[in-house]
Every structure is written in structure tokens, then in C-alpha cells.
Amino acid sequence: MAGYEQKPGDIVAFKEADKRNDRAPDWKGSMLVPEGAKPGDKLEVALWAKGDKGTMLAGSVKFPMQRDAGPAREAPAHRGPDFDSPF
């Protein structure tokens, strides 16, 4: 992932290449918590298969939109991962 910088609200997960047993995860990665999130907040997650042969999942986490009264709080400025970055 040379040149890729994870931003608040980004998720990156890689397919586990060296899975040693059936209980090991199929995908593993990290997430940077969106700015303004606090424990107990429910966040929406979106993922896309990226990389050679879908070997990576990249996505975003954001506060859910409330249709009747607008967003629960001001949404972070970040709009998801930079898919133009080389992975």
C-alpha cells in the first residue's frame, strides 16, 4: 500500500494469506475512527473489493443519516477511501 494514507473513517482489510486454522479470520485490517465518534455510536460501513483479484477490502465508516431530521451530527468532511491511490 505504498503511498496510501488512511484517513479518519477509512477501513482497510486484507485477505488472510496464511490462514493456519479454520477459526482464523478470512480478512484482517484496521479502521481509523471518524472524528466526533464516541463509544456506543452506531456507524454505517461500506466496503469494496480492491487490489489484485479482490485481495483487499477498502471502505468507509460514517454516521448514519436520519431522513426525518437530517444527520444525527455534522458528518465528517472525508467521503471515503482514495481509490486512485496505488495499493
Side-chain angles (χ1 to χ4, degrees), residues 9-73:
D10 282 359
I11 298 172
V12 179
F14 294 91
K15 190 167 180 108
E16 191 63 52
D18 189 24
K19 190 171 171 169
R20 296 177 187 249
N21 65 57
D22 289 340
R23 295 183 68 189
D26 295 320
W27 297 82
K28 217 166 142 179
S30 64
M31 177 190 79
L32 286 178
V33 177
E35 294 175 17
K38 63 183 189 293
D41 282 349
K42 185 173 184 176
L43 304 172
E44 291 180 348
V45 176
L47 297 170
W48 294 264
K50 304 301 280 179
D52 294 337
K53 299 178 184 175
T55 56
M56 182 184 91
L57 297 176
S60 64
V61 175
K62 65 179 185 174
F63 293 103
M65 297 296 287
Q66 292 181 350
R67 295 186 190 271
D68 57 342
R73 64 178 77 218

